[in-house]
Amino acid sequence: MSIEIKLKKGLDLHLAGGVADLSAKAIRRIPERVAVTPDDFTGIIPKADVREGDTVKAGQPLLHDKLDENLKIVSPAPGKVAAVVRGNRRKIERVVIEVDNTGEAVSHDTADAVISRENARNLLLVSGLWAFTRQRPYDIVTRPDAEIRDIFVTGFDSAPLAVSLQRFGSDHERVQRLETGVKLLSMLTDGNVYITRRQSQHMPDIHGAEMVDITGPHPAGNAGTAIAAINPVNKGETVMTLTVETLERIGALVQTGIAPMNTTVALTGSEVKSPKTIETLIGAEIKTLLADDIADDHRHHRIISGNVLTGHTVTTDGYLRFPYTQVTVIPEGDDVDEFMGWASMSPSKMSISPSFPARLFGRKQFKPDARLLGGRRAMIMSGQYDKVLPMDILPEYLVKAVLAKDIDRMEQLGIYEVAPEDFALAEYVDTSKLELQKIIREGLDYLRKELS
């Protein structure tokens, strides 16, 4: 029997530019360069293990954590280290690899991986896949010494225009990799391994895991939504979260000894000529992924590595950012000359307010740009956050506690349960235009610093 969760709170954004044919085979685009960005691995203080000009294999460590040298970030591809880019105070901003076609990869001995917890942990650490996991509290890379209560695997992505893994029913090899991954993860915890899924995926029950069937709008695919509904995180507890793509990589690692660093990216957005899925490498350069797919409409474009709610703004000279599964291109909006500006009542303008004509068009697909459409102001206690956040917390009061740096109040209001992505929709609907994800991130970092 699976666990069923039905969400009423949340919001699906109906945007133009989605992948129309999910059954179409992904186009293969191998980049000339890939890059690892340490900022994607929150909680790690990076120290370089390579220098410019070094030759590396796929899976070879590029960086390690200064606080725990066993926690490593590895190269997504074989090749030569083109650059170790540093910023202010010599902070490492990214490590760039020129990809070669040798296919050389680091191989690991996995014979004893599922014998003990220590062996399972060491395999994930040395392969670099441990860095792809997150922990609650703090939403950081899981600390290697953490006592993990439960593990939550997000089996689908409900974010705007995201594409989730499909066709499980006929792909027995994929199911076998997932079951192998679950077997390894089960060694890390005395609790359960949960995997979320939607009915449309036709994902079968994965042996060794508790299956969680979720229906409802975004953020149905967020790990925090499942955790809150099944067993919220209390003070002193740690749960691990990861994506189903990472779980499949873990399974492949155990089976073959090599951690696969390929990924399937959804190229989406209203400014993309033909939205599609692309098979490429983790950290691929953006210009390779975009190729000639951006519409030639003489508009300024915003390229987002990720979705429109939580992604990172990048340039064509940038690189694919973690979790490496989506690129979205929308109009920037700085070149728009619109009658009445943000106060326009145009039916093409997207809004959650029933006073806008757009609400009369039901599930019409919209083409929003990146403008703020309004000004930042003092926080308005309107109850808007509660409508899109399906967690048993008081989000407005929690945000106020974070701004006040009131640790006791933050703990009482559920700071240990949340991650910045849980507040992405609240940030979208917020009439005060507050940067809620940034506020929550700073609050979590402050709490961890004060309590460590």
Side-chain angles (χ1 to χ4, degrees):
M1 289 291 292
S2 62
I3 300 171
E4 293 189 5
I5 300 174
K6 297 181 180 180
L7 301 180
K8 294 183 178 179
K9 293 183 178 181
L11 179 65
D12 285 329
L13 302 183
H14 303 297
L15 307 183
V19 178
D21 185 5
L22 298 179
S23 63
K25 187 176 181 179
I27 297 174
R28 185 173 175 81
R29 291 180 180 172
I30 301 301
E32 295 181 359
R33 291 190 174 199
V34 296
V36 167
T37 306
D39 282 350
D40 291 340
F41 304 93
T42 309
I44 289 182
I45 303 174
K47 185 173 182 179
D49 291 326
V50 294
R51 297 179 179 179
E52 292 184 11
D54 288 354
T55 300
V56 297
K57 299 179 180 180
Q60 180 175 329
L62 300 177
L63 306 162
H64 70 265
D65 184 15
K66 288 184 179 180
L67 300 180
D68 190 331
E69 62 181 16
N70 294 317
L71 183 51
K72 305 177 187 297
I73 302 174
V74 301
S75 175
K80 185 174 71 173
V81 178
V84 179
V85 182
R86 296 180 181 269
N88 294 334
R89 303 179 68 178
R90 293 189 56 77
K91 174 186 174 182
I92 300 175
E93 295 186 344
R94 62 182 175 274
V95 179
V96 182
I97 307 296
E98 288 183 354
V99 180
D100 63 32
N101 297 318
T102 62
E104 289 188 286
V106 176
S107 182
H108 305 277
D109 182 5
T110 63
D112 299 328
V114 294
I115 291 179
S116 69
R117 179 169 299 180
E118 182 180 0
N119 288 358
R121 192 187 305 262
N122 288 341
L123 177 62
L124 293 180
L125 286 168
V126 74
S127 67
L129 293 182
W130 187 278
F132 286 16
T133 71
R134 295 290 182 270
Q135 73 166 55
R136 305 283 173 104
Y138 308 129
D139 188 42
I140 59 175
V141 173
T142 310
R143 300 311 304 171
D145 58 351
E147 291 293 329
I148 301 170
R149 188 200 72 191
D150 294 302
I151 298 176
F152 288 81
V153 180
T154 52
F156 66 96
D157 192 345
S158 61
L161 303 179
V163 174
S164 299
L165 292 176
Q166 305 290 328
R167 304 184 301 278
F168 278 96
S170 59
D171 198 336
H172 300 294
E173 290 184 1
R174 171 173 287 173
V175 173
Q176 192 173 30
R177 287 194 294 269
L178 294 178
E179 290 182 345
T180 303
V182 168
K183 186 176 180 181
L184 183 75
L185 290 181
S186 298
M187 301 297 300
L188 302 177
T189 178
D190 294 327
N192 295 319
V193 177
Y194 298 94
I195 301 179
T196 64
R197 63 184 177 185
R198 281 201 192 276
Q199 187 176 5
S200 59
Q201 292 177 280
H202 304 291
M203 182 192 293
D205 291 348
I206 304 300
H207 179 71
E210 292 281 342
M211 305 306 296
V212 183
D213 295 311
I214 302 183
T215 58
H218 184 63
N222 286 5
T225 302
I227 296 171
I230 297 172
N231 191 359
V233 181
N234 297 312
K235 185 176 182 179
E237 296 178 337
T238 300
V239 301
M240 175 188 281
T241 68
L242 63 152
T243 64
V244 71
E245 291 85 3
T246 299
L247 177 62
E248 190 174 350
R249 291 187 184 104
I250 292 173
L253 169 65
V254 176
Q255 291 176 351
T256 66
I258 298 175
M261 293 294 169
N262 59 302
T263 185
T264 300
V265 178
L267 181 58
T268 62
S270 60
E271 295 300 292
V272 175
K273 294 178 182 177
S274 178
K276 57 177 67 70
T277 54
I278 300 171
E279 184 181 346
T280 187
L281 296 174
I282 286 173
E285 54 186 350
I286 294 295
K287 65 181 180 182
T288 300
L289 301 181
L290 296 180
D292 297 322
D293 283 316
I294 296 184
D296 185 18
D297 55 6
H298 306 292
R299 298 192 66 179
H300 297 167
H301 299 129
R302 174 166 295 195
I303 305 170
I304 304 169
S305 180
N307 62 73
V308 294
L309 295 176
T310 63
H312 301 272
T313 301
V314 295
T315 64
T316 52
D317 294 329
Y319 296 86
L320 187 64
R321 304 286 294 272
F322 183 83
Y324 312 119
T325 56
Q326 186 177 359
V327 174
T328 309
V329 187
I330 62 174
E332 183 66 52
D334 58 351
D335 54 348
V336 173
D337 185 12
E338 185 178 38
F339 175 67
M340 295 180 65
W342 65 267
S344 169
M345 299 297 287
S346 168
S348 64
K349 187 178 291 294
M350 185 174 69
S351 176
I352 63 167
S353 172
S355 62
F356 272 68
R359 289 296 292 270
L360 300 175
F361 294 93
R363 296 177 63 89
K364 174 184 176 180
Q365 292 185 335
F366 294 93
K367 300 180 180 180
D369 54 43
R371 286 177 296 167
L372 190 61
L373 297 179
R376 293 186 174 90
R377 58 184 71 84
M379 185 174 180
I380 301 171
M381 301 292 283
S382 61
Q384 289 175 312
Y385 304 168
D386 290 300
K387 297 178 181 178
V388 295
L389 186 63
M391 304 174 74
D392 190 19
I393 62 174
L394 300 173
E396 291 172 327
Y397 292 96
L398 176 57
V399 171
K400 282 194 169 187
V402 171
L403 291 172
K405 291 185 168 61
D406 187 338
I407 292 179
D408 290 339
R409 191 72 171 149
M410 289 159 63
E411 291 180 336
Q412 293 169 4
L413 291 168
I415 188 67
Y416 294 117
E417 297 183 45
V418 302
E421 68 175 8
D422 296 322
F423 281 76
L425 275 176
E427 183 175 295
Y428 168 73
V429 303
D430 184 18
T431 53
S432 298
K433 309 296 182 182
L434 298 179
E435 296 180 289
L436 297 180
Q437 295 182 79
K438 181 180 178 182
I439 291 171
I440 295 298
R441 178 73 269 162
E442 291 174 349
L444 292 170
D445 291 342
Y446 174 76
L447 187 67
R448 181 163 61 98
K449 179 181 178 181
E450 291 298 311
L451 298 183
S452 61

